[in-house]
């Protein structure tokens, strides 16, 4: 469950792209498909691993082109398209820009059902099952090799596995994240707390939240979501941190209506109503807590590091005002991310062209979204520790470039980076389950007399029904 606000598109020059796409030009191609306009022309092999003919002519429609309001990001997108076209001059990249959030669950579901998604469309890791249920994406396993994606072996296996079903690959990653505790360093200092050592237990969070709320002036110590599927997302993250789960190992039964699940909800109830450390405004969703903490009205909440870049770029906050610590409990942390899939039914040429574009734009160290020198030059943030799905030599190279170009105090992330918590994938049918669990979160945060047992029991029954219908 992630937004698209933290996409960071990067740049290249025509010269730089030649070195990256030379392998693609020699090893990634296809054949034209009859019956569809602009499905590919230029001749070539039907073998998915055969070279894409540079003369191939087609148009690729692609989700999530930066909107005009994001001038640096759009500039970089256009630069990358221009450089890509030095290798494939007849492949037209037709970007589609969506106002607001790039991927909104209701819009996405409607798009899938109508088969109206672009050739290359943006999804969350958690959307794979929904996409497959609607026959929305191509199996691209045969098209993705060490020849077409040179850094393939250096991408974290858990990231790639998130895009697989029954051994078949249905997408290529754009970003990944793990959850931690995001803090407002200024408020920590004002409350007499150490911002370099954020709390690592929920007892510590509760104590710090009371101290911060004690500053007055409408400041809340801790914030939480309870709407738009985000409440269920955070409930899941909190359970993972404490060693719990949402769905059992079989994937067919809810696993949160237990002592640990009640502990999570009861702790929130106590913070909200007994301590009065969570503020009076509830039914919050993604974007609301970011606005509060960016305006120094909130001390901390669960988040991924990319939220900081969003707050600085979109809300006018300052990097030095924020820090990160590991998720309280530290047993596991929710792992997720974003990716692109390729529409089912398009031609082999289009699939190969899409893989070539995504490889350059999102999966090449030092290029596209990982061109940190350009990112810094364009006034965009550098130094946020995620996305970072690299291993081996790619990780070494990317980490060094990221640190060299940092535009923020990277030491503020030290507590988060020095104590990495193992990532755990989101549950099956995640968005549907999160919607149900929103009711648990909203119930306890808006009703002082909420019946915790009843809230969890009702949610358990509803989640079991969702899992039974897989």
């Amino acid at each position: 469950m992630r937004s698209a606000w933290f996409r960071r598109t990067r740049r290249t020059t025509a010269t730089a792209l030649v070195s990256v796409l030379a392998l693609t030009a020699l090893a990634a191609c296809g054949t034209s498909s009859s019956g569809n306009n602009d499905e590919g022309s230029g001749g070539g092999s039907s073998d998915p691993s055969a070279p894409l003919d540079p003369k191939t002519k087609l148009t690729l429609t692609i989700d999530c082109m930066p909107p005009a309001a994001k001038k640096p990001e759009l500039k970089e997108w256009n630069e990358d398209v221009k450089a890509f076209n030095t290798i494939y001059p007849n492949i037209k990249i037709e970007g589609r820009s969506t106002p607001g959030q790039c991927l909104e669950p209701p819009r996405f579901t409607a798009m899938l059902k109508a088969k109206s998604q672009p050739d290359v469309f943006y999804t969350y890791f958690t959307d794979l099952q929904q996409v497959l249920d609607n026959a929305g994406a191509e199996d691209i396993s045969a098209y993705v090799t060490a020849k077409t994606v040179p850094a393939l072996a250096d991408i974290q296996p858990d990231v790639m596995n998130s895009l697989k079903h029954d051994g078949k690959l249905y997408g290529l990653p754009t970003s990944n994240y793990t959850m931690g505790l995001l803090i407002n360093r200024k408020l920590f200092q004002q409350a007499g707390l150490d911002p370099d050592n954020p709390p690592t237990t929920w007892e510590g969070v509760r104590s710090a939240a009371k101290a911060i709320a004690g500053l007055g002036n409408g400041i809340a110590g801790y914030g939480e979501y309870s709407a738009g599927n985000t409440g269920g997302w955070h409930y899941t993250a909190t359970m993972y941190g404490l060693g719990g789960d949402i769905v059992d190992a079989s994937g067919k039964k809810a696993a949160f209506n237990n002592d640990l699940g009640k502990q999570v909800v009861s702790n929130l109830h106590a913070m909200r109503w007994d301590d009065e450390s969570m503020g009076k405004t509830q039914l919050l969703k993604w974007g609301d807590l970011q606005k509060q903490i960016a305006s120094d009205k909130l001390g901390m909440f669960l988040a991924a590091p990319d939220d900081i870049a969003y707050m600085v770029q979109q809300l006018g906050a300052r990097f030095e005002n924020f820090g990160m610590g590991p998720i309280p409990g530290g047993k596991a942390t929710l792992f997720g991310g974003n990716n692109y899939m390729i529409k089912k039914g398009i031609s082999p040429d289009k699939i190969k062209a899409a893989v070539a574009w995504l490889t350059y734009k999102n999966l090449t160290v030092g290029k596209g979204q990982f061109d940190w020198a350009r990112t810094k030059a364009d006034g965009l943030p550098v130094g946020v520790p995620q996305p970072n799905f690299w291993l081996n030599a790619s990780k070494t190279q990317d980490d060094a470039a990221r640190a060299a170009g940092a535009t923020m105090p990277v030491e503020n992330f030290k507590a988060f980076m020095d104590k990495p918590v193992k990532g755990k994938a989101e549950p099956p049918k995640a968005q549907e389950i999160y919607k149900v669990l929103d009711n648990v979160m909203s119930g306890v945060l808006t009703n002082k007399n909420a019946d915790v047992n009843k809230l969890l029991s009702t949610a358990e029954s509803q989640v079991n029904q969702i899992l039974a219908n897989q």
Side-chain angles (χ1 to χ4, degrees):
M1 168 75 191
R2 287 306 293 149
S3 70
W5 280 290
F6 69 106
R7 294 308 86 219
R8 284 175 287 277
T9 43
R10 322 251 185 256
R11 82 151 205 200
T12 191
T13 63
T15 300
L17 181 61
V18 171
S19 63
V20 176
L21 289 183
L23 287 174
T24 305
L26 293 173
C29 141
T31 181
S32 62
S33 173
S34 61
N36 295 303
N37 292 329
D38 197 28
E39 279 292 287
S41 61
S45 169
S46 61
D47 178 359
S49 64
L52 176 62
D53 188 339
K55 296 180 181 178
T56 299
K57 183 178 181 180
L58 56 81
T59 297
L60 278 179
T61 54
I62 301 178
D63 241 349
C64 297
M65 179 181 74
K70 293 186 175 182
K71 292 182 180 179
E73 292 92 334
L74 182 58
K75 165 187 169 288
E76 294 179 357
W77 171 281
N78 289 331
E79 288 173 350
D80 290 340
V81 170
K82 183 178 180 180
F84 184 81
N85 285 149
T86 65
I87 300 298
Y88 300 110
N90 298 316
I91 295 178
K92 181 180 178 182
I93 302 295
E94 185 177 291
R96 294 185 179 178
S97 180
T98 303
Q101 187 178 359
C102 181
L103 194 159
E104 295 171 340
R107 181 187 71 85
F108 181 72
T109 298
M111 179 182 73
L112 283 178
K113 292 186 180 299
K115 309 294 184 188
S116 62
Q117 68 267 39
D119 298 325
V120 186
F121 61 101
Y122 177 91
T123 78
Y124 301 137
F125 287 175
T126 51
D127 291 319
L128 177 58
Q129 189 60 55
Q130 182 184 187
V131 172
L132 295 181
D133 288 345
N134 286 276
E138 280 284 349
D139 169 13
I140 59 173
S141 305
Y143 296 85
V144 177
T145 69
K147 291 182 179 180
T148 59
V149 185
L152 184 62
D154 284 356
I155 300 174
Q156 293 176 10
D158 55 358
V159 170
M160 295 301 295
N161 289 339
S162 296
L163 305 173
K164 293 179 179 179
H165 181 75
D166 291 339
K168 298 177 180 178
L169 180 66
Y170 290 94
L172 288 172
T174 299
S175 67
N176 65 317
Y177 72 90
T178 55
M179 302 286 286
L181 185 69
L182 175 63
I183 70 165
N184 182 305
R185 291 177 60 88
K186 182 190 298 184
L187 294 181
F188 261 63
Q189 290 170 333
Q190 291 177 2
L193 303 169
D194 183 0
D196 293 327
N197 291 288
T200 58
T201 67
W202 282 105
E203 292 82 2
V205 170
R206 184 175 177 184
S207 176
K210 285 193 286 187
I212 294 169
L215 295 172
N217 298 318
I219 295 171
Y222 181 76
E224 192 50 277
Y225 298 134
S226 55
N229 297 11
T230 56
W233 172 44
H234 270 204
Y235 180 86
T236 299
T238 305
M239 283 287 283
Y240 284 4
L242 294 172
D245 217 329
I246 299 299
V247 176
D248 71 4
S250 72
K252 298 180 180 179
K253 186 177 180 181
F256 56 81
N257 187 15
N258 50 34
D259 290 344
L260 196 58
K262 292 173 185 176
Q263 176 186 328
V264 170
V265 181
S266 297
N267 183 62
L268 288 173
H269 184 275
M271 293 174 68
R272 169 72 173 94
W273 302 105
D274 298 343
D275 303 343
E276 297 184 341
S277 64
M278 294 185 66
K280 295 181 179 180
T281 303
Q282 298 299 326
L283 299 178
L284 304 175
K285 60 184 182 300
W286 206 100
D288 295 329
L289 295 178
Q290 287 81 356
K291 291 175 183 176
Q292 290 181 10
I293 201 168
S295 59
D296 298 330
K297 291 297 183 181
L298 176 64
M300 53 190 161
F301 71 101
L302 297 185
D306 62 273
D307 280 11
I308 298 175
Y310 164 74
M311 291 186 292
V312 172
Q313 290 179 267
Q314 303 298 318
L315 304 179
R318 296 173 63 87
F319 287 120
E320 56 266 31
N321 200 27
F322 305 107
M324 288 284 297
I327 194 164
K331 297 289 183 64
T333 186
L334 191 145
F335 158 85
N338 312 272
N339 60 279
Y340 277 96
M341 295 183 182
I342 298 172
K343 186 176 182 179
K344 189 173 182 64
I346 68 173
S347 72
D349 275 353
K350 279 196 171 187
I351 297 172
K352 294 166 185 178
V355 169
W357 165 256
L358 294 173
T359 296
Y360 170 68
K361 188 66 176 164
N362 300 320
L363 298 174
T364 302
V365 174
K367 303 294 184 281
Q369 70 162 331
F370 292 108
D371 184 346
W372 301 115
R374 178 181 68 173
T375 302
K376 181 177 182 178
D378 286 339
L380 295 173
V382 179
V384 177
Q386 295 169 348
N388 194 340
F389 42 67
W390 298 118
L391 299 170
N392 309 318
S394 293
K395 177 173 176 56
T396 300
Q397 181 182 346
D398 184 66
D399 285 352
R402 195 183 303 234
T407 59
M408 64 187 69
V410 294
E411 62 271 15
N412 290 2
F413 297 102
K414 184 174 174 57
F416 179 76
M417 296 301 292
D418 285 356
K419 299 177 181 177
V421 179
K422 181 176 176 57
K424 187 173 182 178
E426 297 178 84
K429 296 282 188 177
Q431 296 301 328
E432 294 176 58
I433 290 175
Y434 293 164
K435 184 176 182 179
V436 169
L437 292 173
D438 268 2
N439 297 325
V440 176
M441 300 290 273
S442 62
V444 76
L445 294 175
T446 62
N447 181 5
K448 186 175 183 178
N449 299 311
D451 185 332
V452 170
N453 291 328
K454 184 176 181 180
L455 286 171
L456 288 173
S457 178
T458 300
E460 179 185 34
S461 297
Q462 293 172 341
V463 169
N464 282 338
Q465 185 174 357
I466 290 170
L467 296 172
N469 292 331
Q470 290 189 86

